[in-house]
Amino acid sequence: MKAVVKTRRAKGMEFVERAAPQLGPRDVLIRVRYSSICGTDVHIFDWTRWARKRFTPPRILGHEFVGIVTEIGEEVTLVEVGDRVSAESHISCGYCYQCRNGYSEVCRNTKLLGVDHDGSFAGFLALPEHVLWKNDPNIPDEWATLQEPFGNAIDTVLAENISAKTILILGAGPIGLFATGIARACGASLVIVSDPNNYRLAIARKMGAHLTLNPKKKDIVQSVLKITENNGVDVVLEFSGNNQALNQGLNVITPGGRISILGIYEKRVTLDLNSDVIFKKIRMYGITGRKVFSTWYKTSHFLSSGLVDLNPIITHKFALKDCERGMQLMKGGKCGKVILTS
Ligand code: NAD
Ligand code: ZN
């Protein structure tokens, strides 16, 4: 089969021939239909500091996908040949303290698909059955491949109730854009989105943002205070991974409000814990991965019911062999989600 492989400890990747994966008794072979490119794949492609520390070549990239089961190991009971599946990309151990307490998203032995285990930028991939998710027939393939990052957005938005609340979303990358749609679907009364990228702000408006702000052109703190009559917002959702944006968010949370943080920062962040967190008595949530599988059920309900429309976010589709074009596009930022056809 053909696959996109990180072959060397250097920038780039290759489109090469690889043997189809072998199955263990509890493994499932999946013929990939679509994969989507995540920021993590771009980090590995670009061989950033994080990738150099975390990633060991050779490895097939990709962890967001939809495909069809073509073969099952002799002990598999959860899926059958012909099922249309996606997967939780955090392959948890099931045995550690966290897994046994219902926090498998922070399993201490997690293997990441496309990082520690060969991924989905290929004709086929093999996975243990316990991470597979059978897709609702009402969800189109192009949306099914996006369920994994959509789940990140769900856990960030719904860490607490948001109906009739005012929201500031920092960062309109794909996950911030998903969050915009989710916040509107859940009845947020005011959704403000900030991003320096006008292309993405235009998508945020299609996803239902009431107001979009470009921090290169507008003072975010002043603008948010003005529109909220100096109250600030009830909820801040941080998807930018930018320290300055984080502080803008903390400045405009109304005392007693909450912030959920999914964005990942290049460096250690600075914040004014006394004024912006403690004396405002805000609640701060770190979000990682998804609740397995309760978040996947919510994802399925949001998407199969049409509560959130993902089409405005899917801006490009390429053949797998043109994966590098997709990576370059993502680096430039003139895109929403980029999908690859296997
Ligand atoms: P992305 O990089 O596509 O989006 C980030 C967006 O933030 C970009 O559109 C960028 O223009 C914008 N931005 C940059 N500076 C800004 C500023 N000062 N103010 C407002 N916006 C600014 O990323 P994504 O795929 O949408 O993911 C969102 C974030 O979540 C990333 O930081 C990613 O690393 C992180 N992430 C975390 C997890 C987790 O499990 N915690 C999982 C996936 C992604
Ligand atoms: Zn574990």
Side-chain angles (χ1 to χ4, degrees), residues 37-40 43 63-64 90 148-149 152 169-177 194-197 200 213 215 220 238-246 248 261-265 286-290 330 333 335-337:
I37 304 180
C38 164
T40 305
H43 274 282
H63 58 272
E64 304 171 3
H90 291 203
E148 194 255 23
N152 291 134
I169 292 178
L170 296 162
I175 307 184
L177 293 169
S194 168
D195 197 298
N197 178 334
R200 289 182 163 175
L213 297 170
I220 299 300
E238 209 312 277
F239 298 101
S240 74
N242 180 290
N243 196 162
Q244 207 182 355
L246 172 68
Q248 289 162 351
I261 306 174
L262 184 90
I264 294 173
Y265 303 84
I287 310 289
T288 193
R290 295 141 295 281
M330 297 233 341
C335 62
K337 206 66 190 171

Side-chain angles (χ1 to χ4, degrees), residues 92-96 99 107-109:
S92 59
C93 75
Y95 300 107
C96 72
C99 281
C107 164
R108 305 236 287 269
N109 307 307

Side-chain angles (χ1 to χ4, degrees), residues 59 88 105 121 128 146 151 165 173 175 195 198 245 272 310:
R59 178 73 68 213
E88 170 51 50
E105 70 276 28
F121 291 176
L146 303 180
K165 293 194 190 283
I175 307 184
D195 197 298
N198 285 330
D272 189 337
L310 299 187

